[in-house]
Amino acid sequence: MWIIEDTRQQEEKHNIKHRWFEDNNISLIRCKLPFGDYSKPPKVAVDTKKGLPEIANNICGAKTEHQRFKRECISARDAGCKLIFLIENDEGISDINQVHLWKNPRTPYNPQCVQGPRLEKAMKTMSERYGCEFLFCTYAETGEKIMEILDNYEHDGNSN
């Protein structure tokens, strides 16, 4: 389990609490809280991606980038938080099952770059292994879609 500790809490002055948390398998995330000293992580977090090239780079790019992305997914899962990647695009991709149709715009410059079928498979694998979810919208819909996702999780714990 994870809890958030406000960064204004002086680290060396709360050793008894910190030891208790550690003994009870509770990990601390230090982050500035708007109020209070301790909080539980949210049930859902939305990470927006500007297009399929960005998510392709996150998942199928350099090994260090992939490892960072994977750690983020694992941290959210371990904190009991559903991590949703909202991929903005105006290419008509509205579902993970359509990603195989995507044509990477870098292909003329780099014929070995990741293409839609490989990206779709990698996204589905990440979702299965780490519990993250991939949703899609147009750039114009992003703000509304973020609020829809957050509202749905706040009320029933599921996205719709």
Side-chain angles (χ1 to χ4, degrees), residues 59 69-70 73-74 77 82-83 85 96-97 119-134:
I59 297 176
F69 185 82
K70 182 174 143 182
C73 293
I74 292 169
R77 180 198 63 199
K82 181 71 161 187
L83 181 55
F85 295 98
I96 195 169
N97 294 315
L119 178 59
E120 181 178 311
K121 183 177 181 195
M123 291 167 77
K124 288 178 177 180
T125 299
M126 295 294 290
S127 185
E128 290 168 13
R129 286 187 185 163
Y130 307 114
C132 59
E133 192 172 338
F134 297 92

Side-chain angles (χ1 to χ4, degrees), residues 55-66:
I55 196 70
N57 184 55
N58 292 155
I59 297 176
C60 302
K63 185 175 182 178
T64 55
E65 179 62 19
H66 175 76

Side-chain angles (χ1 to χ4, degrees), residues 1-156:
M1 171 192 255
W2 294 75
I3 62 172
I4 301 168
E5 178 183 54
D6 188 78
T7 53
R8 292 167 290 198
Q9 280 285 79
Q10 295 177 7
E11 289 187 67
E12 297 302 316
K13 297 203 176 192
H14 301 279
N15 292 336
I16 295 172
K17 281 184 270 195
H18 289 178
R19 199 171 15 259
W20 188 90
F21 292 146
E22 188 176 310
D23 291 345
N24 288 278
N25 295 318
I26 298 169
S27 299
L28 290 176
I29 301 169
R30 289 187 52 83
C31 181
K32 184 177 181 192
L33 292 171
F35 45 82
D37 294 328
Y38 298 93
S39 179
K40 281 189 164 185
K43 291 181 184 177
V44 65
V46 178
D47 187 340
T48 57
K49 300 294 179 185
K50 285 209 167 283
L52 289 153
E54 182 177 358
I55 196 70
N57 184 55
N58 292 155
I59 297 176
C60 302
K63 185 175 182 178
T64 55
E65 179 62 19
H66 175 76
Q67 292 300 323
R68 182 205 58 78
F69 185 82
K70 182 174 143 182
R71 279 191 309 275
E72 184 178 353
C73 293
I74 292 169
S75 292
R77 180 198 63 199
D78 291 352
C81 180
K82 181 71 161 187
L83 181 55
I84 297 177
F85 295 98
L86 182 59
I87 302 154
E88 303 166 301
N89 75 95
D90 287 330
E91 298 161 339
I93 305 285
S94 60
D95 184 88
I96 195 169
N97 294 315
Q98 297 173 329
V99 173
H100 68 275
L101 301 171
W102 177 65
K103 305 284 187 233
N104 193 325
R106 296 180 183 153
T107 302
Y109 314 106
N110 179 4
Q112 272 62 49
C113 66
V114 67
Q115 296 298 329
R118 181 172 156 223
L119 178 59
E120 181 178 311
K121 183 177 181 195
M123 291 167 77
K124 288 178 177 180
T125 299
M126 295 294 290
S127 185
E128 290 168 13
R129 286 187 185 163
Y130 307 114
C132 59
E133 192 172 338
F134 297 92
L135 299 179
F136 300 81
C137 67
T138 65
Y139 291 97
E141 298 169 327
T142 305
E144 180 180 1
K145 191 70 173 172
I146 290 168
M147 291 311 301
E148 179 184 308
I149 293 165
L150 295 175
D151 283 345
N152 284 342
Y153 267 90
E154 180 179 314
H155 293 104
D156 63 12

